[in-house]
Amino acid sequence: MTTTVNTLTGVRYHAADGIGRITLARPEASNAVDLPTASSLGEAVRAAVADPDVRVILIDAEGPRFCAGGDVAAMAAADDKPAAVRELATTFDAALRELDAAEKPVVAVVRGAVAGAGLGIILACDLVVAAQSTKLLTAYTSVGITPDCGVSWLLPRAVGQQRALELVLTGRPLSADDAQAWGLVTTVVEDAALETAAEEVASRLAALSPFAAGQARRLIRSSWSATKAQSSEDEIRTVTEAISRVFS
């Protein structure tokens, strides 16, 4: 079954062969996220989550850069700049929280710049396949703003508090290899091999039991806000249901 959502702005969504592909589609703006794009991202995430034929969500981008973060030009052009930033941050964060909560594996496919809120996108994903050309940077304090879209919560959990502070306070860029060493990227490939590598990863995940893959993701990503006892109870309940499905 193939599903296409045609009413989105700044984002394309297409589902086929068990993979729901969400593509950032503002290459002329380095895929910076404005309010229509943030709204469309949420709509695409909901479409992928709701489609029973989609087993894996894949997020990529058009053009040479994955995402330059929030659209600073759009913020600067707003009459009420604080209100515009609040609305954008709220809408974008809601879309990423829906992505984070999805009970389906999520793969990010990145090249070029991954900046600011673009980091928020990959932190909401499980596996990140990066081209060798990829550069990751927070970019917040260099333009006088602070982290948003879950970055201040997720980044230290991914790389540790001191490394997170270094990235945010100094604006240090990370190469793809450094990002892999720090745990922000799972696979690094030559730029020409990026699409093939991403398809292989997504297809491999799509072949797994949807229940097992989705619930494994949920158990791990939700563990940050659970006690050990709560996590153990959840594990026991979930593995019991998984076994009942395997042998039903």
Side-chain angles (χ1 to χ4, degrees), residues 195-213:
E195 292 302 323
T196 299
E199 290 288 348
E200 288 176 353
V201 170
S203 296
R204 192 159 62 245
L205 294 176
L208 299 174
S209 155
F211 180 83

Side-chain angles (χ1 to χ4, degrees), residues 135-194:
K135 298 289 184 184
L136 286 77
L137 66 160
T138 58
Y140 291 108
T141 55
S142 62
V143 294
I145 61 175
T146 55
D148 60 355
C149 297
V151 170
S152 63
W153 196 87
L154 289 167
L155 186 59
R157 286 165 170 78
V159 303
Q161 177 176 284
Q162 302 312 113
R163 280 178 165 175
L165 285 166
E166 179 188 1
L167 291 178
V168 171
L169 293 177
T170 70
R172 169 190 170 180
L174 286 181
S175 68
D177 289 334
D178 286 343
Q180 184 179 34
W182 282 29
L184 285 168
V185 162
T186 49
T187 304
V188 177
V189 298
E190 295 298 325
D191 285 45
L194 182 64

Side-chain angles (χ1 to χ4, degrees), residues 5-211:
V5 178
N6 297 312
T7 59
L8 306 180
T9 301
V11 170
R12 287 187 290 104
Y13 174 70
H14 177 260
D17 301 321
I19 301 170
R21 183 184 291 262
I22 299 172
T23 301
L24 303 180
R26 296 188 73 211
E28 73 286 352
S30 298
N31 294 307
V33 178
D34 58 5
L35 185 59
T37 303
S39 298
S40 293
L41 178 62
E43 185 176 343
V45 170
R46 287 189 290 275
V49 169
D51 188 339
D53 293 320
V54 168
R55 296 185 169 199
V56 179
I57 301 171
L58 185 148
I59 301 181
D60 62 4
E62 290 184 0
R65 301 176 183 86
F66 177 71
C67 180
D71 191 333
V72 176
M75 300 176 201
D79 293 332
D80 187 339
K81 294 174 180 56
V85 170
R86 174 179 287 275
E87 185 177 15
L88 173 58
T90 300
T91 303
F92 196 15
D93 184 72
L96 294 183
R97 283 190 285 113
E98 288 187 270
L99 184 64
D100 182 76
E103 294 183 4
K104 300 179 180 184
V106 185
V107 179
V109 184
V110 302
R111 60 160 56 89
V114 182
L119 283 175
I121 296 176
I122 70 167
L123 287 166
C125 299
D126 307 315
L127 304 181
V128 181
V129 183
Q132 195 71 58
S133 66
T134 303
K135 298 289 184 184
L136 286 77
L137 66 160
T138 58
Y140 291 108
T141 55
S142 62
V143 294
I145 61 175
T146 55
D148 60 355
C149 297
V151 170
S152 63
W153 196 87
L154 289 167
L155 186 59
R157 286 165 170 78
V159 303
Q161 177 176 284
Q162 302 312 113
R163 280 178 165 175
L165 285 166
E166 179 188 1
L167 291 178
V168 171
L169 293 177
T170 70
R172 169 190 170 180
L174 286 181
S175 68
D177 289 334
D178 286 343
Q180 184 179 34
W182 282 29
L184 285 168
V185 162
T186 49
T187 304
V188 177
V189 298
E190 295 298 325
D191 285 45
L194 182 64
E195 292 302 323
T196 299
E199 290 288 348
E200 288 176 353
V201 170
S203 296
R204 192 159 62 245
L205 294 176
L208 299 174
S209 155
F211 180 83

